Amino acid sequence: MGPRDALPPSARLYGTPADPGQHGGGVWRRWAGVLVALVAGTGLVAGATVVVLRFTAPQVETGRLSDSLAGVTATLPQGWTEGAVAPVTGFTSVVRDGDGGLIMARPVPGAVKDAKKATAEAAELYSRLLLKGDRVTIVEDRPMPDGYTRALRAEYQDVVNRPAFLRVMLLTRQDTAVLLVGLLQPEENSRRQALDAVMTSLR
């Protein structure tokens, strides 16, 4: 009897049974390869989706101020828009934040010999016109590389009006000057920073 005759009938028909350990490891290796490929493909799809969304997402729109009479321009941050007419006579442009904040600009005729004095006089004038506070305090008074600025804080005795903030900024140039007046009511630190950022961007 040969070796093949010693095998059971099924083995003679289909061949010698294979060791499960040999083929089982191959199956698991194949499944592991498939899983790795799936994970890598998922990562690539997610990354591509992020890139596409980043490039197709709408950008935050900003406004722009261009005052040819005062000679100032600025890109306005989100929330700030240019107004049609300034609320105070003589100012040639105005921007607002829609929440009680505004900035006005106007040209100053003639040469400015003393920027500090001119700024102080303008701050006094617009404090009486716009703030009308029961107590007005100077919170900042300093020169700038291209002019001078003074800031005032107004408090009120009644319980209705919260403190207000006024900044006057005089930009001096070679032949002309520009006066900027910024007003906040009510006053808040974060809003003051936003107001100052817009005012310093006007050039």
Side-chain angles (χ1 to χ4, degrees):
M1 179 183 293
R4 186 172 178 80
D5 295 332
L7 295 175
S10 62
R12 289 198 296 270
L13 290 174
Y14 300 107
T16 304
D19 183 2
Q22 296 177 357
H23 292 288
V27 171
W28 280 113
R29 282 194 295 271
R30 285 197 296 273
W31 276 110
V34 171
L35 289 175
V36 169
L38 286 174
V39 170
T42 303
L44 288 174
V45 171
T49 303
V50 170
V51 171
V52 170
L53 290 177
R54 182 175 298 174
F55 281 101
T56 59
Q59 299 295 319
V60 176
E61 294 185 0
T62 58
R64 183 164 183 82
L65 170 69
S66 182
D67 185 342
S68 59
L69 295 175
V72 293
T73 60
T75 299
L76 304 176
Q78 185 179 15
W80 287 83
T81 57
E82 183 177 5
V85 181
V88 179
T89 302
F91 285 89
T92 53
S93 60
V94 60
V95 294
R96 301 175 182 272
D97 71 350
D99 196 23
L102 65 86
I103 299 170
M104 299 179 292
R106 73 172 177 85
V108 176
V112 176
K113 296 181 180 180
D114 189 337
K116 180 178 181 179
K117 181 180 179 182
T119 304
E121 291 174 350
E124 176 66 23
L125 172 63
Y126 294 112
S127 172
R128 292 198 307 268
L129 289 176
L130 301 174
L131 292 182
K132 301 178 181 179
D134 297 305
R135 180 187 176 191
V136 178
T137 306
I138 299 174
V139 294
E140 188 176 346
D141 186 74
R142 62 178 177 84
M144 302 187 307
D146 54 353
Y148 206 90
T149 185
R150 174 174 285 194
L152 308 174
R153 185 177 189 270
E155 297 176 87
Y156 304 89
Q157 293 180 354
D158 59 74
V159 295
V160 177
N161 288 309
R162 294 168 59 187
F165 176 80
L166 178 76
R167 179 177 293 283
V168 175
M169 187 179 293
L170 184 67
L171 303 179
T172 55
R173 296 170 178 174
Q174 192 170 17
D175 300 320
T176 61
V178 178
L179 184 69
L180 306 177
V181 174
L183 176 68
L184 282 179
Q185 192 167 17
E187 175 216 21
E188 295 175 0
N189 286 335
S190 60
R191 298 185 64 219
R192 278 177 59 172
Q193 293 173 359
L195 180 84
D196 289 345
V198 177
M199 292 186 74
T200 54
S201 71
L202 290 168
R203 287 292 181 267

